[in-house]
Short mmCIF file of all heavy atoms in Angstrom, two decimals:
data_model
loop_
_atom_site.label_atom_id
_atom_site.label_comp_id
_atom_site.label_asym_id
_atom_site.label_seq_id
_atom_site.Cartn_x
_atom_site.Cartn_y
_atom_site.Cartn_z
N LEU M 26 -17.14 -25.21 -16.67
CA LEU M 26 -15.87 -25.80 -16.28
C LEU M 26 -16.14 -26.99 -15.37
O LEU M 26 -15.54 -28.05 -15.51
CB LEU M 26 -15.00 -24.76 -15.58
CG LEU M 26 -13.53 -25.14 -15.46
CD1 LEU M 26 -12.90 -25.17 -16.83
CD2 LEU M 26 -12.80 -24.17 -14.56
N VAL M 91 -28.00 -39.25 18.65
CA VAL M 91 -29.20 -38.93 19.43
C VAL M 91 -30.44 -39.51 18.73
O VAL M 91 -31.26 -40.17 19.36
CB VAL M 91 -29.35 -37.40 19.65
CG1 VAL M 91 -30.71 -37.07 20.23
CG2 VAL M 91 -28.24 -36.89 20.55
N THR M 92 -30.54 -39.27 17.42
CA THR M 92 -31.74 -39.73 16.71
C THR M 92 -31.88 -41.26 16.79
O THR M 92 -32.96 -41.77 17.10
CB THR M 92 -31.68 -39.30 15.23
OG1 THR M 92 -31.38 -37.92 15.17
CG2 THR M 92 -33.00 -39.56 14.53
N LEU M 95 -33.21 -42.54 19.98
CA LEU M 95 -34.58 -42.17 20.37
C LEU M 95 -35.65 -42.95 19.60
O LEU M 95 -36.83 -42.80 19.85
CB LEU M 95 -34.79 -40.67 20.15
CG LEU M 95 -34.01 -39.75 21.10
CD1 LEU M 95 -34.26 -38.30 20.75
CD2 LEU M 95 -34.37 -40.02 22.56
N GLY M 103 -41.12 -39.34 16.05
CA GLY M 103 -40.63 -38.55 17.18
C GLY M 103 -39.13 -38.36 17.11
O GLY M 103 -38.61 -37.25 17.25
N TYR M 117 -28.44 -22.73 15.46
CA TYR M 117 -28.90 -21.48 16.08
C TYR M 117 -27.92 -21.05 17.17
O TYR M 117 -27.55 -19.88 17.26
CB TYR M 117 -30.30 -21.70 16.66
CG TYR M 117 -30.82 -20.55 17.46
CD1 TYR M 117 -31.26 -19.39 16.83
CD2 TYR M 117 -30.85 -20.62 18.85
CE1 TYR M 117 -31.73 -18.32 17.57
CE2 TYR M 117 -31.30 -19.55 19.60
CZ TYR M 117 -31.74 -18.40 18.96
OH TYR M 117 -32.17 -17.34 19.68
N THR M 216 -21.99 -3.82 6.25
CA THR M 216 -22.17 -2.45 6.73
C THR M 216 -23.27 -1.75 5.96
O THR M 216 -24.17 -1.14 6.54
CB THR M 216 -20.86 -1.67 6.56
OG1 THR M 216 -19.79 -2.51 6.96
CG2 THR M 216 -20.86 -0.42 7.39
N LEU M 220 -26.91 -0.45 7.33
CA LEU M 220 -27.30 0.95 7.23
C LEU M 220 -28.53 1.15 6.35
O LEU M 220 -29.17 2.19 6.40
CB LEU M 220 -26.14 1.80 6.70
CG LEU M 220 -25.03 2.11 7.69
CD1 LEU M 220 -23.93 2.91 7.02
CD2 LEU M 220 -25.56 2.88 8.90
N ALA M 221 -28.85 0.15 5.53
CA ALA M 221 -30.07 0.26 4.73
C ALA M 221 -31.25 -0.37 5.45
O ALA M 221 -32.32 -0.53 4.88
CB ALA M 221 -29.86 -0.39 3.37
N ARG M 227 -30.54 -11.12 11.96
CA ARG M 227 -31.50 -12.18 11.65
C ARG M 227 -30.97 -13.05 10.52
O ARG M 227 -31.13 -14.27 10.55
CB ARG M 227 -32.84 -11.55 11.27
CG ARG M 227 -34.00 -12.49 11.44
CD ARG M 227 -35.27 -11.92 10.85
NE ARG M 227 -35.75 -10.74 11.56
CZ ARG M 227 -36.68 -9.92 11.05
NH1 ARG M 227 -37.21 -10.15 9.87
NH2 ARG M 227 -37.08 -8.87 11.74
N ALA M 266 -18.03 -30.49 2.41
CA ALA M 266 -19.13 -29.59 2.09
C ALA M 266 -18.59 -28.26 1.56
O ALA M 266 -19.08 -27.74 0.55
CB ALA M 266 -20.00 -29.36 3.32
N LEU M 303 -12.76 -46.69 -7.53
CA LEU M 303 -12.81 -47.73 -8.56
C LEU M 303 -11.44 -47.97 -9.18
O LEU M 303 -11.08 -49.09 -9.50
CB LEU M 303 -13.80 -47.34 -9.67
CG LEU M 303 -15.28 -47.48 -9.35
CD1 LEU M 303 -16.10 -47.09 -10.56
CD2 LEU M 303 -15.62 -48.91 -8.94
#
Side-chain angles (χ1 to χ4, degrees):
Chain M
L26 195 67
V91 170
T92 310
L95 291 177
Y117 173 75
T216 317
L220 284 178
R227 201 189 294 166
L303 285 181

